[in-house]
C-alpha cells in the first residue's frame, strides 16, 4: 500500500492564527502538507475478479506482517426483513457462528486454534459482515470455514441452536435497552421513517418477532440472501492475487449461485410537519435532540452534509461547542453528526442541558445556532480543519488489514454499496474539493426540512424496549407497503442451496508454515533533563504515537480528594497559558493531531497521535499541554459542571454502579478501591479550587517522575532532537518525588452478595471478585492461561454456559485485573433479570467444578496453547499495538524480548500447572458478589442461594 506523506519536518503555518508564538518559532521549518497531498498519498491498490457463481473477490497485497484480513460482506441487513420478521438478519448472523455441516464446532473454536484476531460479525440496516485476521499459514483453513458457512450451513442449524441464539439476541436487546438512552434507537427509526419504510424498524427487532422466528425462516433467509452472488470476499495482507484466485476457486467455486436479489429504491422520507416527543429515562440531565433524515452513503450529498455536521458540532472547535459550552455555558455537552446508512442517513444535533438552566432557554439557543449555521455556512478555515481531522482518522485506520476500520472493510464496503472497492479514495477527493458554498447549500437543503425534536428528561421509564423495534404491520396507505419478499418462490429452490461439495471438506485443511512474532527493536535514550525515552519504529502509515507517562494515577489520590485529577485533566484539555480552549482545538485540527490526558490506577498519561510530517509542532503542542495548563477559572467551572453531570450519569448506569461497589468492597480505601472514573462525590468536586489543581500538577507532573514512549514513522534520533526542543528546558523541582499510596491496608472480606436496587431493569449486572496474592511485576502467564479455560474468552466455560447453553446473557466472563501493586480476579455477567439467582448458582458451580473435579481439559489446553502462540503476530499489527506492548515491557520490568519468548512459554504449558494455579486463586468461597438490578425481582432469587445478602444504597 502506498501511504506516504511529503516529508516536511515541521509546519510553520499550523498555529499561525491560533498562536503567533508557534508560528514565529517554526517559520523556518517549512509548510504544511496540503489536503491534496494527503489525498494523493492514500492509495490502496487492489485486484478484483468474479467467480462463475457470482462471488466478487477483492485482493490487496500488504506484506508488513504474516497476516491476512479475511472479510465477507453479504448484501443483506435489517432493511430486507419483511413485516413480522424484524431482528432476523441479526439473529441469523448469530447462527452463522454455531457450526456448519463440515465444521460443527463453534466458529470461535476454529479461529482461536489458528491464532485469529479481530474476529467478529455485525449487522446493520444494509449488510451483514463477518471478518477475522489470521496468520498466513491459516488462510486455507479459514477459507474452508467461510465457504462452508456460505454453502454448507443449512443441515447444521437445529431447533436447539435457533432457540439458544434467540435467547442470546434477546439478552443483547435487553442489555442495550437497559442503558441510559437505550431506547433512543427505537425513537429515531420509528419517528423519522414512516410505517412500511425499510428503515422504520431497528436492527435488533422486537421481542415478539424474535420469539416467532422459526426453522422455516432460517431456511428461507439463507436461500434468499446467502448465495455467493450476493456477497463480497476481501483478502487483504500477506497474499498475492494469483494465490488468492486459486484458493478462492478451490473453496468457493463449487457453491451454486443463489436467486437474484432485488433492491427496490428507498427514498429519503420527509416529515410532513415538525414532530416533538418527550420521554423519561434514567439519565443524569435533560438531553435535547434535533433530527432530520438526509441522503445515505450512496449519495454525493453525504460527504458535504457530513462536513457541515462536523463544523456545526463535530469538531472540538465546533460552532455549538464555542457558543453553548464555552462562551455561554448553558449546555454540559453538545454534538452534531451525520449518521449514514446506504439509502438514507440521520443528521443528529444534541445538547445536554446544564443543571439549573431552563430547558426552553437551551432549546432556543440551540435552534438559533442551527439557524445561523444554515444561513451562513462554514468558513473556509472551519471546513479545512474538518477535512484534515477526517482524513487523519482515515489514514490511522488504514494501518490495519482487517477489523472494523482497516483496509479490508474499506474495500468491501466500497464494492458492496458502490461497485467500486476504491470508493474511499474518491470520497477523500470529493471531501478535498468541497467548498463552503456547496456545504452550506446542501446542509441547508436537507436540514431546513421538518425536524423531529426528541426530549429525554430524567425520571423513571414509562415504557421499556420489549415491544419496540418491530415493523408496524398492516400499513394504512399503499405508499407505506415496502416490506415485499425479496425472493419469489418460483426461483427459490431450497435444495439448490444445499450444495454438493467438490473440495475436500472431510477434514480441516492443514495449517501452513507460521511465522513467529518479530517485535520491533526497543531503542532507548535520555534527554538532557533526565527524561527517559523508549522508541520502536513502525512505518506502515505516516503517523507517530507518543505517550508521556507519570508515576501517579488514582494511587496519587485518596477517597477524600478523589476528583482532583479528573478535574485537572479535564481543565488541561481546555487550553494552555497561551492557547484558550478554542485555539487549542483549532491547533490540533489543523495538524490532524490528537492530544489528550488520562489516568488509570497507577499512571497518569498524556498521548499524542500525530501525522509524521507534522511531528515537530505536534510535539510542541503536547509539551505546552503538559507543562503550561491554562487553568482559567471559567474553564474550571465549566469542566466542574460537566463532571458533576458525568458523576450523576455514572450513578445511573448499571455497569458503573456495579464497578464502583465491587472496587470499594474489595479494596476499601486502598487506591484500587477508588472508582476507575476518578470521580468521588459531588461535594468533593464542588469544593476543589484552582489551588488544588495547581498543587497536584506541581507535585506529580514533573520531569523526574516521567518517561516518554514513541512509536511510528520516524527515528529515535529525530524523536530525541524534537523532544529536546520541547522538553529539555523543563527542570525538576528541588523537592523529593512523591510516593503513591500503596501502604494502605486491604479490608478483610467475607463472602456475601451486595444488592443495589435499580428499579425497572430488564437485566441484572452480576459482578464478583477477590484480591490475589500477585503484583503486576510478577509472572502472570500461568494464572491468565488458567483463567482462559474458566472464564477468559468466548469459548470459556462461564460464557458457554450462560450465553451459548442457557441463553440468559449476551456475554459473561472472568478476567485478571492487573495493577502495578495488586492483582484481582473479576467476574462480570449481565443476565436477564428473572435468571439472576440461577446465573449466580451456575457461576458458583462452574468455578467449583474447575478447582475440584474438572480442571483444564485436553481440548481446552490445546486451544490455550495454539491460540496464544499463533495470535502473537496479530496482536502487534499496528503502531498502537506495539506502543501498548512497549509500555507493558517498561512498566512491569519485562525483558525487551518478552513477547518473542511467549510462544515457547505457551508451547510448554501443562494442564497440571494450570490446575494448580487455578485452584490456588479461583476460590469461590472468598468471592464478594455485587448485583445491580430490580430488587423486587431479584431479591427473592438471591435469598435461595444460601449467601448473606447485604442491601446497599447506590453511591
Amino acid at each position: 500500500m502506498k501511504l506516504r506523506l511529503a516529508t516536511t519536518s515541521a509546519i510553520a503555518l499550523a498555529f499561525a492564527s491560533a498562536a503567533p508564538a508557534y508560528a514565529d518559532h517554526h517559520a523556518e521549518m517549512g509548510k504544511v502538507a496540503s489536503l491534496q497531498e494527503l489525498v494523493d498519498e492514500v492509495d490502496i491498490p487492489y485486484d478484483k475478479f468474479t467467480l462463475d457463481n457470482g462471488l466478487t473477490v477483492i485482493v490487496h497485497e500488504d506484506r508488513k506482517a504474516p497476516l491476512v484480513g479475511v472479510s465477507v460482506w453479504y448484501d443483506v441487513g435489517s432493511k430486507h426483513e419483511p413485516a413480522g420478521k424484524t431482528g432476523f438478519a441479526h439473529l441469523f448472523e448469530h447462527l452463522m457462528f454455531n457450526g456448519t455441516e463440515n465444521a460443527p464446532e463453534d466458529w470461535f473454536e476454529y479461529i482461536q486454534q489458528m491464532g485469529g484476531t479481530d474476529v467478529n460479525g455485525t449487522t446493520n440496516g444494509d449488510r451483514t459482515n463477518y471478518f477475522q485476521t489470521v496468520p498466513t499459514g491459516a488462510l486455507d483453513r479459514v477459507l474452508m470455514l467461510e465457504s462452508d458457512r456460505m454453502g454448507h450451513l443449512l443441515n447444521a442449524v437445529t431447533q436447539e441452536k435457533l432457540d439458544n441464539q434467540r435467547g442470546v439476541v434477546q439478552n443483547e436487546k435487553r442489555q442495550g435497552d437497559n442503558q441510559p438512552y437505550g431506547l433512543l434507537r427505537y425513537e429515531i427509526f420509528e419517528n423519522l421513517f414512516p410505517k412500511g419504510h425499510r428503515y422504520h424498524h431497528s436492527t435488533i427487532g422486537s421481542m415478539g418477532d424474535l420469539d416467532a422466528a422459526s426453522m422455516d425462516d432460517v431456511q428461507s433467509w439463507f436461500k434468499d440472501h446467502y448465495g455467493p452472488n450476493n456477497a463480497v470476499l476481501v483478502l487483504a495482507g500477506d497474499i498475492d492475487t494469483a494465490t488468492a484466485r486459486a484458493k478462492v476457486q478451490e473453496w468457493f467455486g463449487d457453491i451454486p449461485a443463489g436467486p437474484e436479489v432485488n433492491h427496490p429504491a428507498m427514498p429519503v422520507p420527509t416529515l410532513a410537519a415538525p414532530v416533538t416527543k418527550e420521554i423519561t429515562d434514567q439519565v443524569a440531565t435533560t438531553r435535547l435532540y434535533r433530527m432530520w433524515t438526509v441522503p445515505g452513503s450512496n449519495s454525493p450529498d453525504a460527504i458535504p452534509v457530513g462536513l457541515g455536521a462536523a463544523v456545526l458540532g463535530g469538531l472540538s472547535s465546533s460552532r455549538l461547542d464555542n457558543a453553548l459550552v464555552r462562551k455561554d455555558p448553558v449546555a454540559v455537552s453538545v454534538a452534531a453528526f451525520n449518521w449514514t446508512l446506504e439509502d438514507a442517513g440521520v443528521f443528529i444535533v444534541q445538547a445536554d442541558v446544564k443543571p439549573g438552566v431552563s430547558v426552553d432557554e437551551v432549546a432556543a439557543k440551540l435552534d438559533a445556532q442551527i439557524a445561523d449555521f444554515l444561513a451562513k455556512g462554514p468558513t473556509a478555515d472551519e471546513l479545512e480543519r474538518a477535512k484534515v481531522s477526517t482524513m487523519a482518522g482515515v489514514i490511522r485506520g488504514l494501518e490495519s488489514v482487517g477489523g472494523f476500520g482497516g483496509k479490508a472493510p474499506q474495500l468491501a464496503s466500497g464494492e458492496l454499496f458502490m461497485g467500486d472497492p476504491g470508493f474511499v479514495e474518491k470520497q477523500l477527493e470529493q471531501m478535498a474539493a468541497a467548498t463552503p458554498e456547496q456545504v452550506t447549500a446542501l446542509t441547508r437543503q436537507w436540514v431546513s426540512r421538518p425536524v423531529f425534536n426528541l426530549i429525554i428528561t430524567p425520571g423513571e421509564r414509562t415504557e421499556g424496549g420489549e415491544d419496540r423495534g418491530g415493523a408496524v404491520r398492516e400499513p394504512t396507505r399503499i405508499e407505506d407497503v415496502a416490506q415485499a419478499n425479496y425472493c419469489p418462490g418460483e426461483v427459490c429452490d431450497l435444495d439448490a442451496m444445499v450444495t454438493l461439495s467438490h473440495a475436500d471438506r472431510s477434514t480441516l485443511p492443514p495449517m501452513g508454515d507460521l511465522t513467529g512474532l518479530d517485535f520491533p527493536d526497543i531503542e532507548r535514550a535520555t534527554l538532557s533533563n533526565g527524561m527517559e525515552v523508549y522508541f520502536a519504529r513502525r512505518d506502515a502509515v505516516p503517523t507517530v504515537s507518543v505517550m508521556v507517562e507519570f508515576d501517579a494515577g488514582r494511587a496519587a489520590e485518596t477517597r477524600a480528594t478523589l476528583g482532583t485529577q479528573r478535574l485537572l485533566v479535564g481543565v488541561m484539555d481546555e487550553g494552555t497559558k497561551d492557547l484558550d480552549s478554542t485555539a487549542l482545538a483549532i491547533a490540533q485540527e489543523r495538524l490532524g493531531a490528537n492530544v489528550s490526558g488520562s489516568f488509570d490506577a497507577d499512571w497518569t498519561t498524556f498521548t499524542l497521535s500525530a501525522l509524521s510530517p507534522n511531528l515537530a509542532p505536534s510535539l510542541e503542542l503536547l509539551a505546552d499541554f503538559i507543562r503550561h495548563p491554562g487553568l482559567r477559572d471559567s474553564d474550571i467551572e465549566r469542566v466542574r459542571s460537566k463532571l458533576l453531570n458525568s458523576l450523576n450519569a455514572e450513578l445511573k448506569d448499571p455497569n458503573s454502579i456495579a464497578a464502583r461497589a465491587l472496587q470499594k468492597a474489595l479494596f476499601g480505601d486502598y487506591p484500587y478501591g477508588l472508582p476507575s472514573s476518578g470521580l468521588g462525590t459531588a461535594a468533593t468536586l464542588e469544593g476543589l479550587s484552582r489551588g488544588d489543581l495547581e498543587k497536584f500538577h506541581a507535585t506529580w507532573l514533573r520531569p523526574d517522575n516521567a518517561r516518554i514512549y514513541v512509536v511510528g514513522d520516524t527515528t529515535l534520533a529525530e524523536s530525541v532532537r524534537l523532544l529536546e526542543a520541547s522538553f529539555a528546558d523543563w527542570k525538576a523541582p528541588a523537592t523529593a518525588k512523591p510516593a503513591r499510596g500503596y501502604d494502605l491496608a486491604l479490608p478483610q472480606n467475607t463472602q456475601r452478595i451486595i444488592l443495589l436496587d435499580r428499579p425497572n431493569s430488564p437485566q441484572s449486572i452480576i459482578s464478583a471478585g477477590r484480591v490475589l496474592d500477585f503484583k503486576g511485576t510478577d509472572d502472570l502467564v500461568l494464572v491468565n492461561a488458567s483463567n482462559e479455560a474458566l472464564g477468559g474468552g468466548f469459548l470459556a466455560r462461564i460464557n458457554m454456559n450462560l450465553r451459548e447453553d442457557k441463553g440468559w446473557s449476551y456475554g459473561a466472563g472472568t478476567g485478571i485485573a492487573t495493577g502495578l501493586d495488586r492483582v484481582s480476579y473479576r467476574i462480570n455477567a449481565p443476565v436477564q433479570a428473572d435468571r439472576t439467582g440461577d446465573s449466580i448458582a451456575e457461576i458458583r458451580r462452574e468455578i467449583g467444578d474447575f478447582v475440584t473435579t474438572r480442571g483444564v481439559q485436553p481440548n481446552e489446553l490445546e486451544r490455550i496453547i495454539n491460540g496464544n502462540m499463533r495470535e502473537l503476530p496479530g496482536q502487534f499489527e499496528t503502531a498502537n499495538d506495539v506502543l501498548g506492548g512497549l509500555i507493558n515491557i517498561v512498566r512491569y520490568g519485562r525483558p525487551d524480548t518478552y513477547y518473542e519468548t511467549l510462544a515457547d512459554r505457551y508451547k510448554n504449558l501443562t494442564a497440571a500447572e494450570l490446575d494448580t494455579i487455578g485452584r490456588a486463586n479461583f476460590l469461590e468461597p472468598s468471592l464478594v458478589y455485587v448485583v445491580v438490578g430490580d430488587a423486587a425481582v431479584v431479591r427473592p432469587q438471591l435469598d435461595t442461594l444460601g449467601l448473606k445478602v447485604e442491601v446497599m444504597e447506590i453511591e
Side-chain angles (χ1 to χ4, degrees), residues 442-460:
L442 286 171
T443 307
R444 183 186 300 149
Q445 173 186 336
W446 291 102
V447 182
S448 295
R449 293 148 59 241
V451 62
F452 171 41
N453 300 305
L454 178 64
I455 307 161
I456 303 181
T457 59
E460 292 297 322

Side-chain angles (χ1 to χ4, degrees), residues 59-72:
V59 182
H60 164 69
E61 186 173 348
D62 178 351
R63 302 288 189 177
K64 74 173 184 294
L67 303 168
V68 181
V70 180
S71 194
V72 184

